[in-house]
Amino acid sequence: MSIRQTLADAANTVPGVHVHPYYRQGGKTGHGNVVLARVDYPNIFGGIGQWEVIVLLPVDVESAQNKADELIPLLYAALSEAMAVDSVTFGTTSQDNRSGQPCLIAAGHREME
């Protein structure tokens, strides 16, 4: 199983979260995807993948903040089984010169396979 699939499966243990291993067009609350942000090579033995799991939140900012408060500890706990979670950040997606949709970005790292 790929790291992407492992991270998606871990996130999907959180009720209402539907993360795909790769990007899919859509804007439903709870949907998201896994992103390989970069690979660091700190030594000759291999790379450390810096991963992001993005989960979309409601468009209304107050509702998004309430949903984020609920999901942050759950995502942290679920993803900690699959990677070392560095942060879970409230942010917005970027959409070509339009305002983006609120989202959570769970960032972490693990060795590449």
Side-chain angles (χ1 to χ4, degrees), residues 16-32:
V17 172
H18 304 285
V19 171
H20 299 280
Y22 291 91
Y23 176 80
R24 287 197 180 171
Q25 183 69 33
K28 292 183 180 179
T29 297
H31 286 221

Side-chain angles (χ1 to χ4, degrees), residues 37-110:
R38 73 178 190 273
V39 179
D40 294 327
Y41 293 95
N43 56 51
I44 62 170
F45 300 109
I48 306 292
Q50 303 296 324
W51 295 91
E52 295 177 348
V53 176
I54 299 170
V55 178
L56 297 177
L57 297 170
V59 176
D60 171 66
V61 176
E62 182 178 359
S63 297
Q65 290 174 340
N66 285 324
K67 190 67 172 174
D69 289 349
E70 171 192 333
L71 287 179
I72 286 172
L74 299 174
L75 278 173
Y76 175 81
L79 290 169
S80 290
E81 299 293 322
M83 71 175 173
V85 178
D86 298 318
S87 65
V88 182
T89 306
F90 182 87
T92 57
T93 60
S94 59
Q95 296 182 343
D96 299 331
N97 298 325
R98 298 182 304 201
S99 61
Q101 183 169 347
C103 67
L104 287 177
I105 305 164
H109 60 279
R110 70 177 271 166

Side-chain angles (χ1 to χ4, degrees), residues 1-9 21-22 34 51 82 110 113:
M1 181 181 310
S2 72
I3 296 173
R4 284 178 184 276
Q5 189 64 56
T6 298
L7 293 172
D9 289 347
Y22 291 91
V34 177
W51 295 91
R110 70 177 271 166
E113 297 173 344

